[in-house]
Amino acid sequence: MKIDEAIEIINGTTSTVSAEETNEFLYIYHRNLKGDLKAYNDWFLMMRIGVTSWDSICKDWDCLSDIKPQDLARVMDVVQRLLDTPVKERFPEKKYRLRWIDDRNGKANYVYLDMDATWHMVTLKNFADTFTESGLEQLKKDNPCLAPAIDAMKEPAEDIEHDNY
């Protein structure tokens, strides 16, 4: 099962539970208590999208109030199906980094988009932003003059190990 399929099932078949993926975490919370995930701990399950066991899933049972038992059962079933899916099969699209010219010491420079929408160059791959194919296409559509550069800079991010979380 892919991450987006899991989210679609939870959001489409439960009346009291919602799910969303943010920054490679899957958050599951009461539909009416959803807040700003960075400011509140309103989720009852939180998992990195690359985990492979229930031991790696954070639980906050205090946030279960007023959740219908059948909705909780659906969530648990979907999460188990996700855990049973090999990590590499959970992702709908390949990931890419944008690699800029190597510096004079031979280190590669990668694109990093800061929270204030400022582009920066970083030398560590782990700090570089990753993009899906559709994300790069949208970036090219939004910045047509950069499309050739984006195509030239695109590098597969195959070394991202989601199962190490």
Side-chain angles (χ1 to χ4, degrees):
M1 169 177 287
K2 295 188 183 315
I3 299 294
D4 55 348
E5 291 172 323
I7 292 169
E8 186 176 323
I9 290 169
I10 291 170
N11 290 341
T13 61
T14 63
S15 61
T16 58
V17 177
S18 290
E20 78 178 19
E21 188 257 329
T22 304
N23 297 326
E24 303 214 8
F25 280 91
L26 178 62
Y27 294 91
I28 304 172
Y29 43 84
H30 190 291
R31 189 175 297 270
N32 296 332
L33 298 178
K34 179 187 172 196
D36 179 6
L37 294 176
K38 294 178 177 80
Y40 303 105
N41 287 334
D42 56 3
W43 47 264
F44 64 88
L45 289 177
M46 175 185 69
M47 62 182 275
R48 285 195 177 265
I49 57 177
V51 300
T52 57
S53 73
W54 281 97
D55 293 338
S56 303
I57 297 175
C58 296
K59 305 148 197 86
D60 184 355
W61 302 130
D62 291 336
C63 294
L64 279 177
S65 60
D66 297 326
I67 291 180
K68 293 180 180 177
Q70 63 268 29
D71 290 348
L72 181 59
R74 168 65 78 175
V75 166
M76 297 307 213
D77 175 59
V78 169
V79 170
Q80 184 60 55
R81 289 170 41 197
L82 204 53
L83 293 173
D84 291 341
T85 302
V87 174
K88 292 183 189 250
E89 295 176 19
R90 296 180 191 174
F91 306 98
E93 295 186 76
K94 289 184 178 181
K95 301 265 184 161
Y96 298 92
R97 289 188 191 91
L98 296 179
R99 180 179 177 161
W100 187 239
I101 301 168
D102 293 354
D103 68 15
R104 63 180 160 200
N105 297 321
K107 285 189 175 183
N109 288 294
Y110 296 92
V111 171
Y112 168 74
L113 183 59
D114 206 345
M115 291 186 63
D116 65 355
T118 304
W119 292 94
H120 299 279
M121 295 296 160
V122 294
T123 56
L124 297 173
K125 281 184 183 183
N126 295 347
F127 293 114
D129 280 327
T130 56
F131 302 88
T132 61
E133 187 69 43
S134 60
L136 288 176
E137 289 304 315
Q138 185 62 47
L139 191 59
K140 291 191 294 190
K141 184 187 276 187
D142 295 343
N143 304 280
C145 61
L146 296 178
I150 291 169
D151 287 335
M153 293 167 49
K154 185 169 94 171
E155 174 181 277
E158 295 167 349
D159 58 333
I160 295 176
E161 291 293 332
H162 296 285
D163 51 355
N164 287 338
Y165 295 128

